[in-house]
Every structure is written in structure tokens, then in C-alpha cells.
């Protein structure tokens, strides 16, 4: 059994704890967590989350899971705005850096009310536990620390767990165990 499999087996128990559901950070804000795992286990993690969602289980006093795939949210926005095909041309003609900058601009990633924060705020029922997934798929368009920082500014009514294919040491994020992201200090490791 891999470390990821062992850790996945602990999630239901952890998110059912009163300390998790009512947990507050140092500034009395709702707690944010990171579940880091070996990127090679991505499919295993996806399958686990799918099974957990299908159980439709309640945690604590009626809390339910709400899963947001940030990559799918980005693609849905690009499609709904009619920009998805334009992105292919933009990458071909102007390069990847320009495409990334353009997508970030559309998502308003430099603003507190960016697309992800606004979408999650508007679509999250009371008594939810948020799972953020798709972090590896959305790279390099959006960086994980940016999603957490922006969401943390506007969303504080439910615990948030980001599933992270890489390493989080409580201070910095290292996507795919290769790319160092900016430091992020506001999240706790889901499992100690």
C-alpha cells in the first residue's frame, strides 16, 4: 500500500472531526487545508474523491462535500465566453506566456473577486466542505497559491481542502515535486 493510499484512508475521519468543521485559523478565519500527494498517484486520488462524492455522506452536523475542479471551471468559462478556440490560435501566434497572461486577465486572477472566488462563493451551499481539485491540470495557467490567496480573501464560511499533486511543508508549495510556487502560510496540512 502506498503512502497516498494510506493517507486517503484517513480523510473521511479527519474531515468528520468537529475541530476540522469548526476549525479557525490564527486570525479566526475558516481553516484552509492542503492534502499533498505524490503526483504519480493522481488517478488514485481522483478515483477516491469520486467514490467519496458518490457516497453522498454527511459529516458532523450535516456537512456535505462540494468539489470544484478549477481546470474544468476555467475551461467552462473559456467556452462560455467563446474564447477556447482563440486560445489555441493565441498560443500558436503569440506564445504560451502571452496566452497565460490573457487567461489570467480573463479570470481576474489579480483581483480579490476573481472568477474562482466568485464562482465558489456563489455556488457553495451552507454546511459544505470544499474540495479543490484540478491543481495539476490547470498549471501553468493558474498557480495554486494564487487560487488559495484570492479565495482566502473572500470566502470564509466553509473549510477548504486543496488536493495538491506535489509537496506542501506548511510554508511552501512544490507542484509535481519540481516547480516551487510562492510561499503560502495560511493553510494547514490536512494530515500531520
Amino acid at each position: 500500500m502506498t503512502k497516498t493510499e494510506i493517507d486517503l484512508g484517513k480523510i473521511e475521519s479527519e474531515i468528520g472531526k468537529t475541530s476540522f468543521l469548526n476549525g479557525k485559523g490564527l486570525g479566526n478565519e475558516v481553516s484552509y487545508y492542503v492534502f499533498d500527494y505524490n503526483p504519480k498517484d493522481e488517478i488514485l486520488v481522483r478515483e477516491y474523491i469520486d467514490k467519496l462524492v458518490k457516497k453522498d455522506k454527511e459529516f458532523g452536523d450535516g456537512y456535505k462535500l462540494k468539489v470544484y475542479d478549477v481546470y474544468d471551471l476555467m475551461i467552462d468559462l473559456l467556452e462560455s465566453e467563446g474564447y477556447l478556440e482563440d486560445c489555441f490560435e493565441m498560443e500558436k501566434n503569440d506564445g504560451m506566456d502571452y496566452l497565460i497572461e490573457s487567461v489570467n486577465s480573463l479570470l481576474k486572477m489579480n483581483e480579490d473577486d476573481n472568477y474562482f472566488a466568485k464562482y465558489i462563493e456563489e455556488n457553495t451551499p451552507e454546511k459544505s466542505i470544499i474540495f479543490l481539485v484540478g491543481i495539476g491540470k490547470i498549471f501553468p495557467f493558474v498557480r495554486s497559491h494564487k487560487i488559495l490567496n484570492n479565495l482566502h480573501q473572500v470566502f470564509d464560511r466553509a473549510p477548504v481542502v486543496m488536493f495538491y499533486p506535489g509537496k506542501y511543508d506548511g510554508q511552501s508549495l512544490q507542484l509535481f515535486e519540481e516547480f516551487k510556487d510562492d510561499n503560502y502560510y495560511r493553510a494547514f496540512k490536512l494530515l500531520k
Side-chain angles (χ1 to χ4, degrees):
M1 196 174 247
T2 67
K3 178 183 181 328
T4 302
E5 288 172 306
I6 293 167
D7 288 346
L8 288 171
K10 298 175 184 176
I11 289 177
E12 277 187 80
S13 169
E14 192 65 33
I15 66 175
K17 292 179 180 176
T18 304
S19 59
F20 173 86
L21 296 170
N22 299 325
K24 297 286 185 182
L26 296 174
N28 207 27
E29 70 276 4
V30 170
S31 295
Y32 279 61
Y33 299 87
V34 174
F35 178 85
D36 58 346
Y37 57 92
N38 186 324
K40 293 175 185 171
D41 294 328
E42 178 68 27
I43 300 301
L44 187 67
V45 172
R46 288 184 198 177
E47 289 171 350
Y48 171 80
I49 292 170
D50 287 345
K51 285 179 191 172
L52 192 55
V53 168
K54 285 178 183 164
K55 280 185 179 182
D56 198 30
K57 181 177 176 177
E58 287 189 0
F59 297 89
D61 182 26
Y63 283 78
K64 302 216 47 165
L65 291 180
K66 186 73 175 163
V67 179
Y68 295 105
D69 186 316
V70 292
Y71 177 80
D72 289 347
L73 291 176
M74 178 185 73
I75 295 297
D76 289 348
L77 177 66
L78 291 171
E79 286 178 339
S80 71
E81 296 292 324
Y83 293 143
L84 190 58
E85 293 300 319
D86 294 343
C87 287
F88 302 127
E89 287 300 311
M90 194 179 298
E91 180 184 9
K92 189 169 129 184
N93 297 331
D94 303 314
M96 188 63 151
D97 289 342
Y98 184 78
L99 174 60
I100 291 169
E101 186 179 313
S102 297
V103 169
N104 270 266
S105 180
L106 177 66
L107 295 169
K108 299 181 180 176
M109 289 311 295
N110 290 324
E111 300 173 29
D112 287 346
D113 69 336
N114 69 78
Y115 178 70
F116 298 118
K118 192 171 183 180
Y119 186 92
I120 291 169
E121 176 61 36
E122 292 173 357
N123 292 282
T124 301
E126 293 301 317
K127 291 194 173 186
S128 292
I129 300 168
I130 307 300
F131 279 9
L132 293 179
V133 300
I135 301 300
K137 294 188 292 184
I138 204 168
F139 178 83
F141 292 98
V142 180
R143 305 298 290 261
S144 53
H145 79 279
K146 194 84 158 163
I147 294 170
L148 288 177
N149 276 331
N150 290 348
L151 187 59
H152 198 266
Q153 300 298 318
V154 297
F155 187 80
D156 65 356
R157 60 186 171 85
V160 175
V161 179
M162 181 177 71
F163 284 79
Y164 191 76
K167 290 184 180 180
Y168 178 60
D169 62 10
Q171 294 184 2
S172 63
L173 296 156
Q174 190 177 8
L175 189 64
F176 307 130
E177 300 178 4
E178 286 186 37
F179 302 103
K180 185 168 183 335
D181 214 334
D182 281 359
N183 289 344
Y184 187 79
Y185 304 100
R186 292 183 178 156
F188 303 98
K189 284 182 70 84
L190 181 62
L191 303 173
K192 278 59 174 179

